[in-house]
Amino acid sequence: MTTVLGIDRSILGQPWRWRALAADQRDGFVPDDLVTQLLLSRGSTRETLDAHRTPTIRAFMPDPSIFRDMDKAAARLADAVEAKEQVAIFGDYDVDGATSAALLVLLLRDLGIEARPYIPDRMLEGYGPTGPALVRLKDEGASLIVTVDCGAQAFDALDIAHRAGIDVVVVDHHKCASALPVAHALVNPNRLDEGEGAAHGHLAAVGVAFLLGAALIRVLRARGFFAARSEPRLIDLLDLVALGTVADVAQLRGLNRAFVAQGLKVMAQRRNIGIAALIEASRLTGAPVCSDLGFALGPRINAGGRVGRSDLGVRLLTTRDPDEARAIAAELDRLNEERRAIEAAVQEAADAMIARDRSIMVIAGEGWHAGVIGIVAGRLKEKLGRPAIVIAIDGNGVGKGSGRSITGVDLGAAILAAKEHGLLVAGGGHAMAAGLTIAAADVPAFAEFLEDRLAADVARASENRALLIDTIVAPAGVNPDLVGALDVGGPYGTGWPSPRVVAGPVRLIKVDIVGNGHVRAVVAGDDGRSIKAVAFRAADTALGAALLGAPPHRRLWLAGRAKIDDWSQRPAAELHIDDAAWAD
């Protein structure tokens, strides 16, 4: 990758590089438009350009039968539908778990079964299925239990369920150990013995649940179940798949990107009255875009599991009653504000404990709310550019931890290894995020274990760290036309990054601090034309210091994301600044 504008060390200490094209595009082929360049540099090939330009389910959908145990899981669900058995859906308490559970509940409802969703309480029951909970569901009438977004590591719970004669189907996407828990079927593209399905290991659990739904409908069709009734429109549930996929920070490539692109179209129709109520409570106008799923809708559903009642999200997404939907959405909005206050207190305490000499940041505190530690870990990871794990220790000396990683460092595998070494009570996850339970006395040894195992990976990732640039424009080029052109290459997210533009050179006309440490600026190019720019949460960073203290005569290059300025009286765009470099 070649240097952009000769910038080898920016204000944030990183080189700026052009985002590289795919390897098979470096043979003299020159993209003839910006969108083609964006698609190729994110993994498309010349042969798949049309499919990536307009991602559809048909273009990327695999045969569900390629996944191990998928046919077995679909057949067992089909048996339950035909016999009108009582089915329970046991989900995780986050957005992926809520949307996965809601998808299966709504699909089974269309097939004539009113399945019971069950979401464990984060504080009282912890993550994933427990033996007592599964047995209780059986005692209350469930003859089949489907776990979604959990279960791949629930050895003890599923063993208890097996001995109690309970059929359990596991639908998960988290890292698996070499041994698998006993279950009627375990569908997970990240099984170590997975074959062709391993190529879809980036799916969120809700994506796996969608594939199970497709397999179920196919089995029922073959059995003649739809001879006297219409088939459900599984495509109508793509709004749930899009929401869960984005909120779980799953890689937006291949099928996931198609899920989100098509799911946003379904969401714009507001067919799901719960999602419609949540959009209203979030004060969104117009059709939701990808970022709204991650920053507006997702956090509100998560707030139920973090600081409120864990089942609120599933209840909202499956209710038939518009009044109930509005009431739940309002409650989730209130809980999200409460979550923000709790998160801010934990964030402040965690920031004070940062150790700059560690490759893996492991921070623990007594009395911290376990519902916000994942968010705090994510903030630390972004601030430090290193993996971070935040552990909340309760009064009994038991810690609940949540971690976030960086590209190139597989945190989920490291957590499983720490568990196998006896350092954790429980733990699991995927490459970019993981959760754990640990005795407080073992935290230092756990931190050293991770440091020994991952320090080299972090060092390699840091050496390769560069700010990747897609295009350079004059400041006046940051306008609605540019935003519209860039949006054609979307939807963007993890694994399919939002385009980054460099604007400049600019002089700062006005700079101040607004909100929660955001640095706001008005900048102008050499032609005198000005644009707005903002660096979020940058006031106490080197970037913020440079912007706030830049001499009037010095010019800068600004790198960031071009976005529509929603507050402008006329059509306008602004730059969300990621980094800056001196131009003279």
Side-chain angles (χ1 to χ4, degrees):
M1 292 183 287
T2 56
T3 303
V4 175
L5 298 168
I7 297 170
D8 279 318
R9 187 171 181 83
S10 68
I11 285 172
L12 289 179
Q14 56 192 338
W16 291 4
R17 303 279 189 260
W18 289 111
R19 198 181 303 275
L21 296 180
D24 64 344
Q25 304 301 329
R26 299 173 185 164
D27 56 0
F29 175 72
V30 179
D32 57 3
D33 65 276
L34 179 58
V35 174
T36 298
Q37 173 190 321
L38 295 174
L39 298 177
L40 291 172
S41 63
R42 281 154 180 78
S44 176
T45 64
R46 274 178 267 180
E47 293 73 24
T48 61
L49 273 173
D50 289 341
H52 282 96
R53 195 179 298 269
T54 307
T56 64
I57 305 300
R58 181 183 298 274
F60 292 98
M61 181 85 166
D63 182 342
S65 294
I66 68 172
F67 297 91
R68 290 192 179 275
D69 279 6
M70 179 68 82
D71 290 341
K72 190 175 181 182
R76 180 63 186 88
L77 266 174
D79 292 343
V81 168
E82 291 185 314
K84 294 193 176 298
E85 297 180 48
Q86 291 190 39
V87 178
I89 311 296
F90 191 111
D92 187 19
Y93 36 64
D94 68 359
V95 184
D96 193 17
T99 52
S100 300
L103 185 148
L104 291 181
V105 168
L106 293 176
L107 175 59
L108 291 173
R109 182 181 291 169
D110 282 347
L111 293 171
I113 288 183
E114 195 62 40
R116 173 188 175 182
Y118 183 93
I119 310 295
D121 185 281
R122 178 192 292 263
M123 306 304 292
L124 299 178
E125 298 178 81
Y127 168 79
T130 62
L134 297 179
V135 171
R136 185 166 63 253
L137 287 171
K138 180 198 176 187
D139 291 343
E140 293 172 357
S143 55
L144 172 63
I145 300 173
V146 183
T147 72
V148 288
D149 197 29
C150 57
Q153 292 290 323
F155 291 91
D156 293 341
L158 295 187
D159 185 60
I160 291 171
H162 178 70
R163 286 188 276 110
I166 306 171
D167 280 351
V168 179
V169 169
V170 174
V171 179
D172 205 350
H173 71 130
H174 292 101
K175 292 279 186 180
C176 290
S178 54
L180 296 173
V182 60
H184 182 84
L186 196 156
V187 183
N188 185 337
N190 288 305
R191 286 175 55 154
L192 295 184
D193 62 346
E194 186 58 78
E196 190 178 347
H200 300 277
H202 60 291
L203 291 177
V206 69
V208 183
F210 181 88
L211 293 173
L212 174 59
L216 169 61
I217 290 173
R218 185 169 63 183
V219 170
L220 289 172
R221 185 188 304 130
R223 294 183 183 183
F225 183 78
F226 300 115
R229 63 187 299 160
S230 59
E231 290 190 16
R233 282 177 50 86
L234 191 61
I235 209 81
D236 288 345
L237 300 177
L238 281 174
D239 50 359
L240 295 171
V241 184
L243 178 55
T245 297
V246 173
D248 212 53
V249 201
Q251 296 262 332
L252 289 197
R253 52 188 175 85
L255 182 58
N256 274 350
R257 192 160 161 267
F259 279 152
V260 175
Q262 300 306 317
L264 285 170
K265 295 178 182 178
V266 175
M267 192 175 291
Q269 301 170 18
R270 305 199 179 190
R271 293 170 180 256
N272 185 300
I273 61 174
I275 292 180
L278 194 63
I279 292 172
E280 182 179 349
S282 303
R283 295 165 286 282
L284 298 177
T285 57
V289 295
C290 194
S291 59
D292 293 329
L293 309 189
F295 295 105
L297 306 184
R300 284 168 170 81
I301 292 179
N302 261 335
R306 294 185 189 281
V307 297
R309 288 170 44 197
S310 58
D311 66 342
L312 286 176
V314 171
R315 285 179 53 204
L316 174 73
L317 298 174
T318 59
T319 184
R320 299 181 177 97
D321 183 347
D323 291 334
E324 182 184 31
R326 284 189 289 270
I328 295 174
E331 175 67 1
L332 288 173
D333 188 53
R334 184 192 67 79
L335 289 170
N336 192 48
E337 291 302 315
E338 182 180 334
R339 185 270 305 169
R340 289 176 188 270
I342 295 170
E343 174 197 328
V346 175
Q347 185 76 58
E348 182 178 4
D351 285 344
M353 301 169 66
I354 290 174
R356 299 285 176 180
D357 60 341
R358 306 293 289 184
S359 299
I360 315 296
M361 198 58 50
V362 179
I363 294 177
E366 294 183 1
W368 290 353
H369 196 296
V372 301
I373 54 177
I375 301 173
V376 174
R379 296 258 193 252
L380 290 174
K381 182 261 294 189
E382 291 297 329
K383 177 184 292 188
L384 302 170
R386 288 173 277 166
I389 296 174
V390 178
I391 301 171
I393 300 173
D394 65 20
N396 298 315
V398 176
K400 298 288 186 181
S402 186
R404 299 293 183 269
S405 193
I406 61 176
T407 301
V409 181
D410 191 337
L411 187 60
I415 293 298
L416 285 181
K419 181 183 174 185
E420 291 173 355
H421 277 71
L423 293 171
L424 301 176
V425 176
H430 46 78
M432 301 299 287
L436 58 94
T437 302
I438 187 171
D442 290 332
V443 170
F446 169 64
E448 289 301 324
F449 176 87
L450 290 184
E451 191 73 16
D452 291 342
R453 181 181 176 92
L454 297 178
D457 292 342
V458 174
R460 279 192 293 270
S462 298
E463 287 174 3
N464 296 327
R465 185 172 67 107
L467 198 72
L468 301 183
I469 306 299
D470 291 285
T471 189
I472 299 176
V473 298
V478 179
N479 56 43
D481 289 341
L482 175 66
V483 176
L486 296 175
D487 283 349
V488 174
Y492 298 105
T494 303
W496 197 269
S498 178
R500 185 177 287 113
V501 305
V502 170
V506 302
R507 287 185 175 87
L508 289 114
I509 306 302
K510 178 183 177 182
V511 189
D512 59 1
I513 298 175
V514 296
N516 187 24
H518 310 314
V519 177
R520 179 179 60 182
V522 176
V523 303
D526 291 339
D527 61 0
R529 298 172 67 179
S530 64
I531 61 169
K532 294 179 182 178
V534 60
F536 293 103
R537 292 185 294 274
D540 61 348
T541 69
L543 174 61
L547 295 174
L548 291 163
H553 64 278
R554 293 204 69 181
R555 299 184 304 166
L556 300 105
W557 295 101
L558 301 180
R561 324 282 177 153
K563 301 292 183 181
I564 292 297
D565 178 7
D566 294 324
W567 299 100
S568 179
Q569 297 294 323
R570 56 185 175 77
E574 62 186 13
L575 189 69
H576 294 179
I577 306 170
D578 295 325
D579 198 1
W582 298 112
D584 46 33

